[in-house]
Amino acid sequence: MTAPVLLALFLAAVQEPVDILITGGTIVTMDGDMRVVEGGAVAIRGREITAVLSPQDPLPQARQTIHAEGHLVIPGLVNAHGHAAMTLLRGIADDLSLLEWLQNYIFPAESKNVSPEFVYWGTMLAAVEMALGGTTTYADMYYFEEEVARATETVGIRGVLGQSVIGFPAPDYKTPEEALAGAEAFIERFKDHPLIVPSVAPHALYTTPLDIVRKAHALAVKHGVPLQIHAVEPPEENDQMIEKLGKGTIHALDDAGILTKETILHHAIWLSDEDIARIQKGGASTSHNPESNMKTASGLSPVPELLSAGISVGLGTDGAASNNNLDMFEEMDSAAKLHKIMRKDSTAMPAKTVFTMATIGGAKALGLGERIGSLEAGKLADIVLIDIREPSLTPLYDVYSHLVYAIKGSHVDTVLVNGRVIVQGGRVLTVNTEEILEKARAIQEKIIESLEK
Ligand SMILES: [Zn+2]
C-alpha cells in the first residue's frame, strides 16, 4: 500500500464516528495516575472505551452524545460480595445474634422458599436496585445460579456468579458432589458470556468439607474462573477449625493450596499477621463488608493491613437481609468511618482508598482488573453519571470526599454497562420495575405463609 492510501485509511479510522460520546462532565478515571479530568470526554465504540479526552482534545464524531455538564463521570461500582436473591428476605428478622438469625429465620425461610422462581425474581429486584445505585458489576454466591445469570443478563449488569457448593442438602443440589458437577456445567455454559463471569462458591470451611473445597478450587483453576468462599466471618470459626482440622481457616486453606489468585475470601475478619502473610504469598484477595459485619456483630476485617501487604480488597454489601440495602455509596461511607472509630484514628481509610476499593480494587479482587474498574481506553464501558447539582452535594471541593461521604445511590442519573445505557434519568430502561416490585410482594406473601405452617 502506498503512503497516501495508508494516510486515507488512517483518516477514515479516525473519522469513523464513535457510538457514544460523554462530554462536559468531571471524569474520575481511577487510572494508574488517578487522573480527574474536568470538562473532558469519554468516547465509546461497541462495548469498549476508545479514549478519555481532555478539554483541549478534538472531539470525534458520535452517533449519540450524552451531555454530562454538572455530573461526575465515574467507573461503575463493583460490589464484591453478596447474595442477590436475598433481597426477598430484606428485613425478615433483624437485631438477633448471627446464629439465631441464621438458624431460626434465614435457613427456615430459605429451605421452604428458595426455588428457581424465587432466585430469578429476587435477583431481578437486586439487579435493578444495584443498577439504580451505580453498581455495574457484582459478585454473587447462591443457589440455582443459572436463574441468577438469566436475571442479571435481563437487567443488563455484569455478574461474577458463584454456584454454591455446601456440605449439606441445598435447595438446588442434594449433595456437594452434585453441586460441583452443577458448578462445572454452569461454568462451561457461561464461560464466554459478555456479561457473566461464572464462578464456583464453596460456602465456607465450617459448612463444607475441606476436600470438597479443594475440588472446587481445582475446578476454578482448570477453567480459569474465580473461587469465592466465606472465610473467618464468625468469631468462633477459627476455634472450630482448629478442633476439626488442627489449624485455623486460612492456615488450612493455605496448606490445601487454595489461597491462589483465583480465590476471593469474603469477610476475612479474624486474621493473624501470619494469615495475612499467607494470603499475600498465595495471591488470593478479600472482600470487606462493613455494614453486614456491623449488623451481625461479626467483627472488623483488618483492611489497612491487608492493603499495605499489597492484597487486593474489594468492598461488598453482602446479602440485603444483613445490610439491609445494596447501596455501595452507603457501604463506602460506613467503611471509611468504621475503621476510624475502631482505631481511634481519623486518618485511617481515607476517601480515596475507599473509593479505590469500590472500583478498581474490587475489579482486581474479582480477577477483572484488566477489563473494568477504571475509565481508560481499551476497558469495557461500564460508566456511571452522578448529578451533583443538588443541595446535599454543593459545594464540591474534592471528588473523592463527595463520592464517599456525601453521594448516595439515589443521586445516580445514568448508567452504562458494556457501552449500553441501562439507566437514564434515574430510571431503569431494560425492565419493567413495577412488575418486579409486584412479584417481590407476591413472593413475600408466600414466605410469610410458609413460616406460619
Ligand atoms: Zn455472604
Side-chain angles (χ1 to χ4, degrees):
M1 258 183 275
T2 62
V5 172
L6 278 173
L7 181 66
L9 283 173
F10 172 75
L11 286 174
V14 168
Q15 285 161 359
E16 171 77 14
V18 297
D19 292 320
I20 297 179
L21 192 64
I22 303 171
T23 61
T26 299
I27 305 165
V28 183
T29 64
M30 300 309 286
D31 67 9
D33 300 324
M34 302 284 274
R35 280 192 311 146
V36 176
V37 186
E38 298 271 359
V42 182
I44 299 161
R45 190 173 283 142
R47 289 180 199 157
E48 286 185 3
I49 296 169
T50 56
V52 176
L53 301 161
S54 299
Q56 58 273 19
D57 293 330
L59 292 178
Q61 293 289 315
R63 294 192 173 87
Q64 182 190 350
T65 299
I66 297 175
H67 298 280
E69 287 79 9
H71 290 71
L72 296 185
V73 180
I74 65 167
L77 302 177
V78 178
N79 186 345
H81 177 56
H83 314 278
M86 289 182 82
T87 45
L88 293 173
L89 304 176
R90 187 197 321 265
I92 195 168
D94 303 294
D95 311 323
L96 299 166
S97 80
L98 177 60
L99 286 183
E100 198 187 346
W101 178 74
L102 279 173
Q103 284 162 3
N104 297 343
Y105 294 90
I106 298 300
F107 290 156
E110 285 188 333
S111 75
K112 289 175 180 159
N113 293 285
V114 174
S115 64
E117 191 200 16
F118 175 103
V119 171
Y120 178 74
W121 288 106
T123 306
M124 289 288 274
L125 182 62
V128 164
E129 181 184 352
M130 287 191 277
L132 287 171
T135 294
T136 54
T137 294
Y138 78 105
D140 186 72
M141 37 198 301
Y142 212 58
Y143 310 106
F144 301 108
E145 211 62 27
E146 303 216 345
E147 294 299 315
V148 179
R150 196 159 70 87
T152 304
E153 184 181 10
T154 303
V155 174
I157 64 173
R158 196 179 303 287
V160 178
L161 308 183
Q163 170 60 47
S164 282
V165 177
I166 193 162
F168 44 79
D172 50 359
Y173 296 109
K174 295 305 154 208
T175 67
E177 287 77 13
E178 282 176 42
L180 280 171
E184 182 154 34
F186 176 70
I187 291 167
E188 278 166 354
R189 180 166 165 201
F190 286 96
K191 226 175 163 176
D192 300 314
H193 194 282
L195 286 172
I196 308 302
V197 177
S199 152
V200 58
H203 175 265
L205 208 49
Y206 66 93
T207 55
T208 314
L210 179 59
D211 190 48
I212 295 292
V213 180
R214 202 186 276 119
K215 285 179 180 155
H217 182 257
L219 209 58
V221 171
K222 177 180 166 193
H223 293 284
V225 298
L227 174 137
Q228 309 185 50
I229 185 166
H230 293 104
V232 277
E233 178 187 10
E236 50 280 306
E237 179 172 329
N238 269 328
D239 287 345
Q240 283 180 16
M241 288 306 109
I242 288 167
E243 204 169 295
K244 206 163 123 190
L245 303 169
K247 46 198 150 187
T249 294
I250 299 300
H251 189 170
L253 291 174
D254 190 22
D255 283 358
I258 291 166
L259 296 181
T260 59
K261 65 174 170 44
E262 288 79 12
T263 298
I264 176 161
L265 306 161
H266 294 308
H267 300 293
I269 293 172
W270 301 99
L271 302 174
S272 65
D273 291 349
E274 195 193 329
D275 289 335
I276 293 174
R278 288 177 188 278
I279 297 168
Q280 189 269 333
K281 196 157 166 254
S285 56
T286 73
S287 78
H288 178 40
N289 304 268
E291 294 200 337
S292 172
N293 296 158
M294 282 194 276
K295 189 157 181 280
T296 59
S298 294
L300 180 64
S301 178
V303 175
E305 285 76 12
L306 289 165
L307 290 174
S308 45
I311 294 162
S312 293
V313 182
L315 188 68
T317 57
D318 208 350
S322 62
N323 188 300
N324 289 354
N325 62 43
L326 306 177
D327 187 335
M328 283 290 287
F329 289 97
E330 271 192 20
E331 205 68 36
M332 286 193 271
D333 184 72
S334 295
K337 290 171 181 167
L338 180 58
H339 290 270
K340 290 172 173 56
I341 185 67
M342 293 302 283
R343 287 164 191 259
K344 298 194 169 46
D345 173 7
S346 54
T347 69
M349 295 286 277
K352 207 185 253 189
T353 303
V354 174
F355 190 64
T356 300
M357 282 170 53
T359 52
I360 186 68
K364 286 179 182 166
L366 294 170
L368 294 172
E370 300 296 317
R371 303 302 285 142
I372 59 166
S374 60
L375 302 181
E376 296 178 75
K379 284 213 167 173
L380 293 167
D382 292 4
I383 305 173
V384 171
L385 274 65
I386 299 153
D387 193 343
I388 49 171
R389 296 164 297 183
E390 290 276 338
S392 63
L393 303 179
T394 303
L396 183 153
Y397 292 98
D398 177 81
V399 290
Y400 303 106
S401 165
H402 256 36
L403 286 162
V404 172
Y405 297 120
I407 292 169
K408 301 289 159 224
S410 52
H411 292 125
V412 167
D413 181 81
T414 301
V415 177
L416 292 87
V417 180
N418 265 353
R420 176 189 183 204
V421 179
I422 63 161
V423 172
Q424 198 171 45
R427 299 190 69 82
V428 177
L429 304 180
T430 47
V431 290
N432 179 346
T433 303
E434 227 12 83
E435 183 198 6
I436 296 168
L437 302 188
E438 270 170 36
K439 286 278 182 190
R441 289 186 204 107
I443 295 171
Q444 178 198 12
E445 293 299 319
K446 283 196 213 167
I447 295 168
I448 292 170
E449 255 175 59
S450 79
L451 293 177
E452 282 164 355
K453 277 173 202 161

